[in-house]
Amino acid sequence: MGKVCILKSTSLALIILLLITAGQAAVIQTQASAAAPDLVVRDLVTETLIRGLEATEIKPVPATAPACLLIAGVQGKNGSLVVGARARLLTVSGEIRRDTMRELSVKFGVSGLKVGQQLVMLTSDLEWTQQQGGEVLTLGFERGLFNGFFNGAPHFKVGVQVARWGDELCVAAR
């Protein structure tokens, strides 16, 4: 009878331990998920470029802005391309290619950018590619909770594209 009581007590203790561990994991996942909608990496990139390049944002984005059509174009009702709502358009002067890469690498580079309780880190190469008369810079980011980012906290991959057409830059989420 003594062995049966010990076995029942041990089983109960293991069940309680598993429930506590599962509860802690759910709290961590909930914290990471709850923080997800609050942070739009596209807007962080846009604000960085506005400040760093002394750019001017154009609002509302014209439906036929060439830079935005490269990365955020959607087919309109009549079959023509129009700019989707996920784009932000900037006008910039100067050496756009070099200055854009410098601003992004300084802000999001080696140590990342802490925003509230999250860390946003640039994980892709900075390389412009030619695309239909303009240039496109495809950026890959990882973001997650600052505490534990480098030792197991969940990370979220985020893609952003920057398109250049003349003196315009368009920033859109992928």
Side-chain angles (χ1 to χ4, degrees):
M1 181 77 169
K3 290 182 182 182
V4 173
C5 287
I6 292 172
L7 183 59
K8 285 183 179 180
S9 298
T10 305
S11 297
L12 182 61
L14 284 173
I15 290 171
I16 291 172
L17 183 61
L18 287 172
L19 289 174
I20 290 172
T21 304
Q24 289 173 340
V27 167
I28 290 171
Q29 184 63 32
T30 301
Q31 288 173 342
S33 298
D38 298 337
L39 182 64
V40 178
V41 177
R42 178 207 63 200
D43 294 336
L44 291 173
V45 169
T46 304
E47 297 305 320
T48 298
L49 295 175
I50 288 172
R51 281 192 305 277
L53 302 177
E54 297 178 2
T56 303
E57 185 167 11
I58 298 172
K59 288 183 180 179
V61 177
T64 58
C68 292
L69 288 175
L70 288 175
I71 58 174
V74 295
Q75 193 168 9
K77 292 179 183 176
N78 63 356
S80 64
L81 278 181
V82 294
V83 175
R86 60 190 179 102
R88 292 182 69 182
L89 183 63
L90 313 173
T91 58
V92 185
S93 60
E95 178 51 51
I96 296 173
R97 295 179 87 226
R98 185 190 69 231
D99 293 345
T100 299
M101 293 192 309
R102 183 190 68 235
E103 290 301 322
L104 294 173
S105 62
V106 166
K107 186 79 161 200
F108 300 100
V110 179
S111 61
L113 173 67
K114 184 177 180 198
V115 181
Q117 296 300 313
Q118 291 197 20
L119 180 67
V120 179
M121 184 172 288
L122 180 65
T123 57
S124 66
D125 292 334
L126 295 174
E127 185 176 324
W128 290 95
T129 58
Q130 297 293 322
Q131 186 173 327
Q132 300 173 4
E135 293 180 295
V136 175
L137 179 63
T138 301
L139 306 169
F141 293 91
E142 286 192 27
R143 67 177 183 78
L145 292 176
F146 182 77
N147 293 330
F149 187 87
F150 295 106
N151 58 4
H155 293 195
F156 300 94
K157 292 183 185 263
V158 179
V160 174
Q161 289 185 309
V162 179
R164 175 180 175 252
W165 188 288
D167 63 350
E168 292 182 347
L169 282 180
C170 185
V171 182
R174 281 193 294 166

